Amino acid sequence: MKEYWTALASLMGAFAFLQGVLHAVFPAELRAAVARLLGRLTRGLSPYCYFDVTEMDGMSTNEIYDAVQLYLSSTAAPASGARLSLSRPLNASSFTFGLAASDRVVDSFAGAAVTWEHVVAPRQGQGFSWRPLPEEKRRFTLRIRRGDRDKLLPAYLDHILAAAAEIRRRSQDRLLYTNARGGAMDARGLPWDPVPFKHPSTFDTLAMDPARKAAIMADLRDFAGGSAFYERTGRAWKRGYLLYGPPGTGKSSMIAAMANFLGYDVYDLELTEVGSNAELRKLLMKTTSKSIIVIEDIDCSVDLTNRAKPAPAPPRARPGIDGGIEQDGGAGAAARSITLSGLLNFTDGLWSCCGAERIFVFTTNHAEKLDPALLRSGRMDMHIFMSYCTFPALRILLRNYLGFQSDGELDGFAAGAKEIVRGLEEWVDAAEITPADVSEVLIKNRRSGKAEAMRELLGVLKDRAAGKRRGGAAAAETGKEAGGENEEEEEEKRALESPKEGKETAGIDGHDEVTEAKKQV
Ligand SMILES: Nc1ncnc2c1ncn2[C@@H]1O[C@H](COP(=O)(O)OP(=O)(O)OP(=O)(O)O)[C@@H](O)[C@H]1O
Ligand SMILES: [Mg+2]
């Protein structure tokens, strides 16, 4: 044993001596050059090539570094059992995982395996810089087989950037933007005010006919995944929905459900705050893709039926953004010089393709008041009638508000309370009640137990139905509410029966959705 230690000590002594001789004989530059040469030789023989993605690119942060970190944390890392760091960005509601120092993960793309290593080293000497640099130098090193290089680059990096953008969008809270500042810009030159969008409405909680709901969801899914379709057919990647129906039938809830379903931001465009077509163009150009642009109560916001009419006494005329002439008909019109052409140019004209993947939603209580130009095919691709509560819709509200866990539980309950449930089914159509009113009754009575709340609701339905039956001329005179609702219903029917060219639209797959909507009514 003693001999062993003696031999080891003399070996180390010899090694130290040799190192001293090397340092003395060869200058530092020569040693570095030899090291570089050796490195190049070994790399030349290696079947792999390496790419460094540093955190800082000169003085600025490297976008690819952030993207790789996000991408690896959500895709490769969890499967590989690597060590992760956890974080939650400010204002975000979900966690982000990150790869810890010196950890490796394996990923694959287009059938080729790649390895990522996260290398962290202390930064030596800060040097001069206008802003402090991180104390550590961080980088990801990508190792791929030489033969896979053409296959992976740049397609793999493009894939990572796209995936990271999607993860970032999903993990952040979505925003609801408003233009309530009347066109004034904020410090960053943006005309929109954002607030976190946390509307709880989803397609699950939305009370409407399940078949129509499924058709709308399928249409939205087709739209969101239809990038190739829109490119192939040369169409701008946008879609327009017109939601119409009496107040309280869920038009705004439907918009929230759409936004939650697709994970899009919502731009609530208040047309009365927009002074001119040019201002409208500025606003719309500052919207991002993957968003829903909403104009609520379009018939009330602005007079949009004026496209073809000459102005009664035009005090002045100036060119519109679409090359036409905007007509300022009197003081009111001058104050609101936004025109239907200006709006249409954005939903349908050349400007519609600035910013992809956008949905326009217009809502109205009076579809018949809208200019046919707004309704024609290609502008509003789908017309959705939000009707009074039907029995299938009522079942959804009962589930939402009375705590039934499933349709099965509701059916089981109905078996024991046959006369109530059958009564609801029998009276709901005749009562012509909106989902908002049903919700009110259920909220008010939900503490009294399921059966009692349903009995109360049945009473309300019967009262309403009786009121309607008495209705007609008498209701118009005596009950403003009943009369108003009848009138509204007549208007809706007239709107649906209006000429086909004003209403008919074709979906992505070419089927006629409006016919479907008509069937529902
Ligand atoms: N179809 C529905 N499904 C679920 N809840 C609904 C539905 N319709 C209305 N409600 C309830 O009624 C309230 C009002 O509905 P909502 O604001 O969506 O109606 P609206 O059609 O937009 O009305 P308005 O025409 O007055 O803007 C909502 O908060 C929601 O709780
Ligand atoms: Mg609404």
Side-chain angles (χ1 to χ4, degrees), residues 247-248 250-253 255 296-297 363 365:
K251 296 179 291 299
S252 304
S253 310
I255 295 168
E296 290 249 43
D297 299 317
T363 75
N365 295 334

Side-chain angles (χ1 to χ4, degrees), residues 47-80:
Y48 297 104
C49 47
Y50 298 82
F51 298 87
D52 284 340
V53 179
T54 53
E55 184 183 21
M56 302 299 293
D57 179 18
M59 284 295 128
S60 50
T61 42
N62 185 357
E63 189 194 342
I64 308 181
Y65 177 89
D66 290 344
V68 170
Q69 183 150 37
L70 257 185
Y71 169 79
L72 291 181
S73 67
S74 76
T75 54
S80 68

Side-chain angles (χ1 to χ4, degrees), residues 199 205-208 245-254 296-297 363 365 386 397 400-401 434-437 439:
H199 201 296
T205 61
L206 193 70
M208 75 184 290
T249 47
K251 296 179 291 299
S252 304
S253 310
M254 163 72 87
E296 290 249 43
D297 299 317
T363 75
N365 295 334
M386 301 302 289
L397 292 176
N400 289 352
Y401 290 102
T434 61
D437 288 344
S439 308

Side-chain angles (χ1 to χ4, degrees), residues 209-236:
D209 229 55
R212 288 177 62 208
K213 201 194 284 186
I216 295 164
M217 288 166 78
D219 193 76
L220 289 170
R221 226 178 271 123
D222 272 354
F223 171 80
S227 145
F229 168 85
Y230 285 94
E231 212 165 289
R232 199 176 60 243
T233 52
R235 290 167 68 106

